[in-house]
Amino acid sequence: MAKTLFEKVWDQHVVSKNDDGSVLLYIDRQLVHEVTSPQAFEGLRIAKRKPWRVNASVATPDHNVPTTNREQGITDPVSRTQVEALDANCEEFGITEFGLGDIRQGVVHVMGPEQGLILPGMTVVCGDSHTSTHGAFAAIAMGIGTSEVEHVLATQCLIQKQPKTMRIRVEGDLPAGITGKDVALYIIGEIGTAGGTGYAVEFAGSAIRMLSMEARMTLCNMTIEAGARCGMVAVDDMTIDYVKGRPFAPKADAWDRAVTAWSELHSDADAVFDKELLFKAENIAPQLSWGTSPEMVLPITASVPNPEDARDDVQKEGWIRALTYMGLEAGTALQDISIDKAFIGSCTNGRIEDFREAAEMVKGKTVAANVKLAMAVPGSGLVKQQAEAEGIDEIFRQAGFEWRDPGCSMCLAMNADRLEPEERCASTSNRNFEGRQGLGGRTHLVSPAMAAAAAIAGHFVDIRDWV
Amino acid sequence: MQAFTTLNGLVAPMDRANVDTDAIIPKQFLKSIKRTGYGPFLFDEWRYEDHGEPEMDCTNRPKRGDFILNQARYQGAQILLARENFGCGSSREHAPWAIVDYGFSCVIAPSFADIFYNNCFKNGILPIVLDDAQMDTLFDACAATEGFSLSIDLPAQTVSLPSGQVLSFEVDDFRKHCLLNGLDDIGLTLQNADIIRNYEATRIQTAPWLF
Ligand code: SF4
């Protein structure tokens, strides 16, 4: 019977089926970070259990780590305790960890693919919602809670119900300057933050095939903001080229066998999805979120919407609240919105291509006087190293950006990097919820090039006609 | 997880309705990285005169004389009597962690909040529902007799009073099975350890690069 990509990978991981329709699903890879793992390890200790397969899990601290003056250690005691607990737990249970001093340390979702820890056809979990990132490798990648982290550590399995399948096709050529982030924001704007609820999404179509692996990661990363269980892209040559030669990728004969198996990882021609959506690539302009939900997004050429134009009263209320929080007037051109800070980084846009694209905008220019802080925070030590080898750090520094050490940083403001009340930020992260980047902070989600250009101009600009 | 079969234990009464999880364990303790050690902070705001913080040494903290669990006669209690809607509020698993860590392994009440009720079974606590009249009997007997204890028999689903009176209670078969055998979700999955090993043995043949 014809199968979707999701069904192929799912079926390969079903260990047993339960009477209530749930299955015991085998998990190939677990990524671990300091915030959602301590009680899971503690649970193992109390029950005197060991990890089922210790080499299936790999850890790195990211949420709480400082992005400056690392040599001074972590000053916030709560953050330090969590990071030290991760070190101690990994040591005790024998789990590989790329700790603070390691060049491979970084945002868990940047570190994983970079190390070749994510392979096509895997099941991947992490105690973090943006685990969906790894679906770019035709993997089933899902975020889980702390009790499930413990369950996977102890049994290498999860009890799961099979989600429905949705295919989102984007056909045609993406206009110049349009990135994976714009595609992601556009789709969320079209289908809403609950548009994917209950579904495993497969992204397909000629525009998706043209996206680089890093852009596919950005797209799958944001699938969670559309409410989906996970997002996936089929394997092609780009996938295989990306994985080849990475430290944890298979070698020699095993590599050849793996590539043969991976060539099956696409939906069969006559596979049936529970839902299908189609978008035209040519319609996608640079996107900008104006409100406090990732679905409150518009093309850069638009103006702040008027609540009177909302679909219904519920939406109208939501828009009014968002406009008040964001300090915006209906009808203001998005390009007239000025910013106080810019943040380039996170698991959504903290990879080398992101910094290359942003550097293009920044090169030979200077951050506008009204911008108090412009930060470039590489997603991992290796991204930082690569960027420095290409001179990208110098381009940013000369323009007036701060070039930081890797971590989640101002994506969620758990460390010292945060917005002050009413500060407005052009951010390449994934969530613009109230208070996400600091109490009272105002976040506009954009692509790296859009964030960089906004830092230079001091307000948002249409990068298509901006040089 | 600790199995629960029978228990003969000292009883402490908590004579208020709607005891919420924030009262059971206040929110500052959620910053902790641990699952144990919450016992000294159980009912922290009701129990102590001062403000509790994680990691604090509680031995010399000033205790509130009017709080029931601070009375000498209830030290070492393993069974808690409560009123309706016990455990309402947030889904924090820290609440049952604190109850277990304090030393309770059974809570008897006319009703419980849903998530808390579920969380009890995951942590080796038996929550028993009895009707209001039966609860009144227990509260009265507990107040009247110092050292009042109860015998709980999970296989027989009974609560026996020193007077000889026996009360029966309901419990879902599956949950009873898990509690009797000390099986949490992980324990249950590990009952299928052979199936998981067989799966791995096959998979390592077809996809060796995953191992
Ligand atoms: S970068 Fe942001 S979204 Fe990604 S893992 Fe860190 S905190 Fe979460």
Side-chain angles (χ1 to χ4, degrees):
Chain A
M1 207 189 85
K3 284 185 182 180
T4 65
L5 167 61
F6 177 85
E7 288 159 349
K8 286 183 186 180
V9 179
W10 178 271
D11 290 350
Q12 284 175 355
H13 290 85
V14 173
V15 172
S16 63
K17 291 193 168 129
N18 301 325
D19 296 339
D20 64 353
S22 65
V23 305
L24 196 59
L25 193 73
Y26 192 80
I27 303 302
D28 296 314
R29 178 70 68 216
Q30 171 152 245
L31 301 176
V32 179
H33 65 82
E34 79 277 19
V35 177
T36 51
S37 65
Q39 275 102 356
F41 284 114
E42 173 96 350
L44 290 187
R45 246 187 314 268
I46 292 170
K48 300 197 169 46
R49 289 182 177 127
K50 296 219 166 334
W52 178 275
R53 188 155 75 74
V54 79
N55 69 348
S57 296
V58 178
T60 194
D62 55 4
H63 285 64
N64 277 296
V65 302
T67 58
T68 49
N69 301 324
R70 285 244 165 119
E71 56 294 343
Q72 293 172 9
I74 307 175
T75 44
D76 175 59
V78 177
S79 298
R80 188 174 58 234
T81 307
Q82 286 194 327
V83 173
E84 286 173 355
L86 181 68
D87 295 344
N89 285 324
C90 289
E91 169 89 35
E92 177 183 342
F93 289 98
I95 288 170
T96 302
E97 185 201 5
F98 304 135
L100 254 196
D102 195 306
I103 186 81
R104 296 167 290 187
Q105 177 269 331
V107 181
V108 75
H109 308 306
V110 176
M111 176 279 286
E114 189 171 70
Q115 289 300 312
L117 287 163
I118 313 300
L119 300 175
M122 272 184 163
T123 44
V124 181
V125 297
C126 175
D128 189 283
S129 54
H130 292 96
T131 309
S132 59
T133 310
H134 312 293
F137 293 84
I140 293 179
M142 299 179 292
I144 55 176
T146 296
S147 55
E148 289 175 312
V149 170
E150 183 184 343
H151 195 278
V152 174
L153 280 169
T155 70
Q156 212 52 50
C157 292
L158 265 187
I159 299 162
Q160 287 284 307
K161 284 223 162 105
Q162 186 164 355
K164 293 177 286 183
T165 55
M166 180 193 298
R167 176 158 60 187
I168 298 180
R169 282 161 53 217
V170 186
E171 298 287 358
D173 293 330
L174 287 173
I178 303 305
T179 66
K181 182 64 162 286
D182 299 302
V183 177
L185 288 172
Y186 175 83
I187 291 172
I188 296 164
E190 291 292 314
I191 72 175
T193 49
T197 303
Y199 290 95
V201 171
E202 179 179 344
F203 294 103
S206 55
I208 305 297
R209 299 250 70 87
M210 297 295 290
L211 291 178
S212 70
M213 281 313 290
E214 297 195 356
R216 292 177 192 179
M217 283 186 242
T218 304
L219 178 61
C220 289
N221 172 281
M222 298 273 311
T223 320
I224 199 72
E225 307 311 332
R229 196 78 183 91
C230 61
M232 299 174 92
V233 178
V235 165
D236 60 11
D237 291 346
M238 202 125 58
T239 323
I240 291 172
D241 287 347
Y242 182 94
V243 174
K244 191 169 188 177
R246 295 198 177 257
F248 287 83
K251 308 267 161 10
D253 285 356
W255 172 259
D256 295 335
R257 270 187 79 184
V259 170
T260 310
W262 294 343
S263 66
E264 300 294 317
L265 295 176
H266 53 79
S267 290
D268 293 330
D270 43 355
V272 181
F273 290 80
D274 294 307
K275 191 168 182 178
E276 295 247 26
L277 296 174
L278 174 65
F279 298 106
K280 285 191 185 143
E282 68 199 38
N283 291 343
I284 306 179
Q287 302 288 306
L288 173 69
S289 76
W290 57 268
T292 51
S293 155
E295 71 182 18
M296 295 176 177
V297 65
L298 284 168
I300 180 67
T301 46
S303 300
V304 175
N306 190 330
E308 293 306 323
D309 300 332
R311 177 178 65 224
D312 52 34
D313 283 353
V314 179
Q315 188 176 55
K316 183 175 164 183
E317 283 302 307
W319 285 11
I320 291 172
R321 245 198 342 261
L323 290 180
T324 309
Y325 181 85
M326 294 296 290
L328 293 173
E329 295 273 336
T332 308
L334 295 181
Q335 300 191 46
D336 290 341
I337 300 174
S338 60
I339 62 164
D340 303 302
K341 287 184 174 168
F343 169 66
I344 301 175
S346 87
C347 60
T348 312
N349 283 126
R351 301 182 178 80
I352 189 66
E353 286 175 12
D354 299 315
F355 293 99
R356 287 182 188 139
E357 286 166 11
E360 280 302 308
M361 296 291 137
V362 165
K363 202 169 192 167
K365 303 197 180 78
T366 315
V367 169
N370 61 307
V371 176
K372 295 179 222 163
L373 174 69
M375 300 165 75
V377 187
S380 72
L382 287 167
V383 169
K384 184 171 190 242
Q385 189 180 51
Q386 176 63 31
E388 289 173 357
E390 297 177 21
I392 288 173
D393 59 324
E394 271 311 303
I395 295 175
F396 277 113
R397 279 207 195 88
Q398 278 169 15
F401 270 78
E402 292 195 13
W403 181 251
R404 298 286 189 93
D405 286 323
C408 293
S409 181
M410 211 159 67
C411 174
L412 89 167
M414 227 175 136
N415 67 359
D417 310 338
R418 63 177 61 127
L419 298 180
E420 298 303 321
E422 302 196 355
E423 277 185 344
R424 192 179 295 287
C425 182
S427 180
T428 67
S429 54
N430 43 50
R431 287 188 172 149
N432 52 350
F433 303 154
E434 290 186 17
R436 169 76 176 186
Q437 295 192 291
L439 191 71
R442 296 163 173 169
T443 302
H444 295 275
L445 303 175
V446 284
S447 71
M450 286 284 287
I456 300 298
H459 57 88
F460 290 104
V461 293
D462 188 342
I463 53 157
R464 290 172 302 183
D465 47 43
W466 198 76
V467 272
Chain B
M1 193 179 84
Q2 196 68 34
F4 188 110
T5 47
T6 59
L7 169 70
N8 190 330
L10 185 69
V11 181
M14 174 67 62
D15 200 357
R16 0 180 157 191
N18 301 309
V19 171
D20 64 43
T21 51
D22 210 43
I24 296 173
I25 185 84
K27 60 179 169 301
Q28 64 268 32
F29 298 101
L30 309 193
K31 280 194 270 179
S32 164
I33 56 166
K34 301 212 179 104
R35 190 183 293 231
T36 50
Y38 297 97
F41 306 106
L42 178 69
F43 299 116
D44 198 82
E45 284 170 15
W46 294 349
R47 192 165 157 196
Y48 301 100
E49 306 263 358
D50 62 347
H51 175 84
E53 279 296 327
E55 308 287 322
M56 224 172 178
D57 179 0
C58 295
T59 18
N60 295 318
R61 289 176 63 195
K63 293 203 169 107
R64 290 185 195 275
D66 59 349
F67 182 59
I68 195 97
L69 294 185
N70 286 338
Q71 295 182 19
R73 61 184 281 196
Y74 296 121
Q75 299 314 302
Q78 292 173 280
I79 299 166
L80 186 68
L81 300 182
R83 293 295 188 182
E84 66 188 39
N85 200 25
F86 187 80
C88 57
S90 86
S91 65
R92 67 187 66 159
E93 213 161 318
H94 302 66
W97 292 344
I99 286 176
V100 156
D101 197 68
Y102 181 89
F104 288 118
S105 47
C106 176
V107 185
I108 310 178
S111 63
F112 291 90
D114 233 22
I115 301 174
F116 177 84
Y117 186 77
N118 284 323
N119 280 340
C120 282
F121 286 99
K122 284 191 184 176
N123 290 282
I125 304 166
L126 173 62
I128 294 178
V129 177
L130 293 179
D131 65 32
D132 285 326
Q134 292 170 324
M135 289 310 302
D136 286 342
T137 309
L138 293 182
F139 272 105
D140 290 347
C142 185
T145 330
E146 197 161 329
F148 178 75
S149 61
L150 286 170
S151 289
I152 316 281
D153 185 333
L154 178 56
Q157 296 179 208
T158 56
V159 177
S160 307
L161 283 75
S163 65
Q165 189 181 0
V166 178
L167 310 169
S168 344
F169 62 89
E170 295 294 319
V171 59
D172 175 75
D173 279 347
F174 176 70
R175 289 193 166 122
K176 179 176 171 181
H177 167 79
C178 293
L179 213 46
L180 282 175
N181 295 290
L183 297 173
D184 50 19
D185 283 359
I186 295 176
L188 273 177
T189 300
L190 287 175
Q191 284 193 322
N192 292 318
D194 288 346
I195 307 179
I196 303 173
R197 271 191 214 100
N198 287 341
Y199 169 88
E200 285 180 325
T202 315
R203 188 81 174 139
I204 204 165
Q205 300 298 323
T206 52
W209 56 87
L210 293 174
F211 289 85

